[in-house]
Amino acid sequence: APPQGQDLDLSKVAVSYEAGDGTPAKTFGQAVTGDVCVPDAFYVDAATNKIVLCPETCTAAQRGKNPKIDVLFTCAPTFVDPPK
């Protein structure tokens, strides 16, 4: 929940991923829905408001040596372009 008097804007959420193997962290952008997922992205499940990694992103994240995932709260929307 956001602090009192503030609103949580889910369009301004991003996800940071570290594989734990010394490679630089990646920041994942947001797909508008799970139906338009792309690699290195996540979406917010409309029914639960939970962050869900897109399938390819989730599979890749599970291959990490010691993966770490953080939710980032940003100042601008984080949407990525849908697949073409």
Side-chain angles (χ1 to χ4, degrees):
Q4 185 175 341
Q6 296 185 356
D7 293 323
L8 175 60
D9 184 346
L10 293 175
S11 73
K12 296 179 181 177
V13 173
V15 171
S16 172
Y17 167 74
E18 293 180 50
D21 60 4
T23 57
K26 289 184 176 184
T27 300
F28 301 145
Q30 186 174 165
V32 177
T33 67
D35 294 334
V36 292
C37 272
V38 295
D40 293 340
F42 69 94
Y43 64 97
V44 177
D45 182 280
T48 64
N49 280 340
K50 289 187 178 186
I51 292 173
V52 180
L53 296 180
C54 289
E56 286 183 44
T57 308
C58 186
T59 299
Q62 290 175 348
R63 287 191 218 117
K65 184 175 185 176
N66 188 22
K68 179 181 175 187
I69 295 176
D70 289 309
V71 176
L72 308 175
F73 300 92
T74 68
C75 295
T78 61
F79 292 112
V80 295
D81 292 332
K84 297 183 187 232

